[in-house]
């Protein structure tokens, strides 16, 4: 009797063991039958993009599940970029998506793409190429990619992926925006000389530079127009100076704005800061008499001034011998104490008036 009981107990143990093994096998088979989505992100060109240049971000979405596919309208890849440095191109220019994938959101700093009609089989992946433009120099900064899931019937309806391992549902890369032109612009300014805008700028350490395009607009900034070009030095290790005169300002009594488009031999370019000046002297008329001055009395008749202006009487060698303030109308200068000879009367004001008149004293 005892022997029979022992056999029954052993039989029950074997039955339980077989049942557990079968159940475990079923569980393992079921678990491995699920799809598993993953994402990986990589910024091409080693993570570098020039200012105003383009670079692609490669986003790989795949399925490591050995049996089940990822259904259509099931997975969404969300890519976000540092908006202070770069921006995503508009949808029409995002031509690097696999067949069947669609863009659901694009804010310029974040874009979401969905697998739409594309079914991702086990052990396969898709490469998405997202185009980005460099805006401001800086970085490196982080680029993020995250996976979201949809219902399987619509990309915009939230859902889940059964059995998915969330550990590989995110990935990061980096991006850095660099200056495309190896040239240092140390200063750029605009001044009015003899009622004409004169631009002056200096550079250092020019490499492969081609030219400077000079562009102009008015204070409303309704549009920039090209008004001239100055050839660059090409290559220089020291300081280089440039100037340009706007021969046709075509606007008086208002502010004129100028900028440089700095271009290298490869066609890459960047813009300078904006310099401005005011031209306000077209209507200023100056008459100096008598000529020559014989009695020590010099008269200066001015019209069109806005307030006062300064005058400086210079010797032929450039030494100041008399200064005074002038206003509209007839102004009188006493030059009796000056020796006979040729002098230069220099008249200028803050509105751009800068004129020089020869004066002969006998």
């Amino acid at each position: 009797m005892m022997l029979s009981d022992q056999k029954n107990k052993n039989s029950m143990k074997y039955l339980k063991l077989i049942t557990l093994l079968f159940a475990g096998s079923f569980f393992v088979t079921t678990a491995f039958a699920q799809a598993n989505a993953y994402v990986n992100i990589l910024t091409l060109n080693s993570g570098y993009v020039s200012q105003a240049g383009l670079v692609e971000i490669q986003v790989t979405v795949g399925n490591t599940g050995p049996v089940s596919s990822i259904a259509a309208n099931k997975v969404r890849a969300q890519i976000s970029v540092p908006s202070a440095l770069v921006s995503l191109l508009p949808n029409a220019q995002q031509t690097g998506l696999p067949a069947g994938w669609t863009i659901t959101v694009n804010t310029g700093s974040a874009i979401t793409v969905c697998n739409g009609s594309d079914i991702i089989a086990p052990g396969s992946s898709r490469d998405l190429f997202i185009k980005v433009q460099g805006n401001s120099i800086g970085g490196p900064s982080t680029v993020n990619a995250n996976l979201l899931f949809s219902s399987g019937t619509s990309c915009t309806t939230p859902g889940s992926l059964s059995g998915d391992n969330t550990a590989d549902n995110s990935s990061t890369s980096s991006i850095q925006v660099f200056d495309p032109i190896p040239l240092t612009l140390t200063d750029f300014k605009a001044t009015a000389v003899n009622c004409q805008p004169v631009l002056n700028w200096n550079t250092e350490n020019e490499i492969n530079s081609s030219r400077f395009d000079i562009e102009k607009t008015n204070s409303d900034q309704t549009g920039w127009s090209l008004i001239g070009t100055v050839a660059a030095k090409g290559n220089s290790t020291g300081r280089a100076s440039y100037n340009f005169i706007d021969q046709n300002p075509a606007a008086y009594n208002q502010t004129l704005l100028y900028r440089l488009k700095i271009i290298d031999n490869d066609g890459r370019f960047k813009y300078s800061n904006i310099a401005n000046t005011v031209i306000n002297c077209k209507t200023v008329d100056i008459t100096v008499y008598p000529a020559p001055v014989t009695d020590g009395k010099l008269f200066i008749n001015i019209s069109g001034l806005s307030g006062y202006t300064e005058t400086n009487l210079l010797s032929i060698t450039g030494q100041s011998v008399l200064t005074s303030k002038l206003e509209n109308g007839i102004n009188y200068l006493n030059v009796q104490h000056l020796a006979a000879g040729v002098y230069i009367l220099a008249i200028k004001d803050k509105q751009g008036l800068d004129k020089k008149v020869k004066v002969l004293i006998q």
Side-chain angles (χ1 to χ4, degrees), residues 5 21 39 76 79 98 171 245 253 296 316 333 343 355 358:
D5 290 342
L21 289 173
V39 66
R76 291 174 288 165
I79 301 97
S171 180
I245 300 175
N253 302 317
I316 196 66
L333 295 182
Y343 295 84
K355 290 191 175 183
K358 184 184 292 186

Side-chain angles (χ1 to χ4, degrees), residues 312-327:
N312 194 4
L313 190 62
L314 308 173
S315 68
I316 196 66
T317 60
Q319 181 181 4
S320 177
V321 296
L322 179 64
T323 60
S324 181
K325 286 187 177 181
L326 306 179
E327 60 183 344

Side-chain angles (χ1 to χ4, degrees), residues 7-227:
K7 288 181 177 180
N8 289 336
K9 289 180 179 180
N10 290 339
S11 297
M12 291 297 293
K13 288 181 179 180
Y14 290 135
L15 181 60
K16 289 179 179 180
L17 180 60
I18 292 172
T19 301
L20 289 172
L21 289 173
F22 177 78
S25 176
F26 177 78
F27 173 77
V28 171
T29 301
T30 301
F32 276 97
Q34 303 295 324
N36 179 63
Y38 74 90
V39 66
N40 186 63
I41 187 170
L42 175 67
T43 307
L44 303 186
N45 195 37
S46 301
Y48 288 90
V49 59
S50 64
Q51 189 177 29
L54 299 178
V55 72
E56 288 187 325
I57 297 174
Q58 180 179 344
V59 181
T60 302
V61 178
N63 179 9
T64 58
V67 178
S68 297
S69 298
I70 299 176
N73 294 312
K74 194 65 178 175
V75 65
R76 291 174 288 165
Q78 185 181 67
I79 301 97
S80 58
V81 297
S83 59
L85 301 182
V86 299
S87 58
L88 296 155
L89 293 191
N91 291 357
Q93 300 178 49
Q94 297 292 352
T95 57
L97 300 183
W101 286 70
T102 59
I103 298 174
T104 59
V105 175
N106 185 354
T107 65
S109 60
I111 189 170
T112 302
V113 292
C114 179
N115 69 327
S117 60
D118 184 23
I119 299 173
I120 306 176
S124 64
S125 62
R126 306 288 186 267
D127 287 329
L128 294 68
F129 293 92
I130 307 299
K131 292 181 175 62
V132 175
Q133 176 174 293
N135 295 329
S136 302
I137 297 172
S141 296
T142 302
V143 180
N144 295 284
N146 295 282
L147 291 184
L148 305 172
F149 298 108
S150 304
S151 63
T153 57
S154 169
C155 282
T156 58
T157 305
S160 61
L161 184 64
S162 179
D164 180 67
N165 179 10
T166 60
D168 52 8
N169 286 359
S170 63
S171 180
T172 61
S173 183
S174 66
I175 195 165
Q176 183 168 347
V177 182
F178 64 91
D179 189 340
I181 309 298
L183 173 155
T184 302
L185 185 68
T186 56
D187 62 85
F188 172 53
K189 60 184 179 181
T191 56
V193 179
N194 292 329
C195 299
Q196 285 186 315
V198 177
L199 310 181
N200 292 279
W201 64 97
N202 298 301
T203 68
E204 292 180 352
N205 304 320
E206 291 189 32
I207 302 175
N208 200 37
S209 57
S210 173
R211 68 185 189 274
F212 302 89
D213 283 352
I214 295 90
E215 299 182 355
K216 178 177 72 173
T217 187
N218 56 28
S219 56
D220 296 332
Q221 297 194 45
T222 54
W224 292 90
S225 59
L226 177 65
I227 61 170

Side-chain angles (χ1 to χ4, degrees), residues 233-294:
K233 303 298 183 184
N235 294 280
S236 65
T237 56
R239 182 183 179 91
S241 298
Y242 300 87
N243 66 80
F244 178 84
I245 300 175
D246 185 359
Q247 302 287 354
N248 184 28
Y252 292 89
N253 302 317
Q254 66 171 289
T255 301
L256 297 176
L257 307 178
Y258 298 89
R259 70 182 182 184
L260 302 175
K261 186 177 183 180
I262 307 166
I263 307 171
D264 73 2
N265 288 323
D266 299 323
R268 296 178 299 179
F269 66 90
K270 68 177 180 179
Y271 286 103
S272 71
N273 60 295
I274 295 174
N276 66 81
T277 188
V278 178
I279 303 300
N280 188 25
C281 58
K282 185 179 182 182
T283 58
V284 176
D285 293 320
I286 301 175
T287 304
V288 177
Y289 62 93
V293 178
T294 58

Side-chain angles (χ1 to χ4, degrees), residues 336-357:
Q336 290 180 348
H337 63 289
L338 297 179
V342 177
Y343 295 84
I344 302 298
L345 184 69
I347 303 172
K348 66 171 55 180
D349 66 7
K350 296 180 180 179
Q351 282 70 48
L353 175 64
D354 188 354
K355 290 191 175 183
K356 294 178 175 63
V357 181

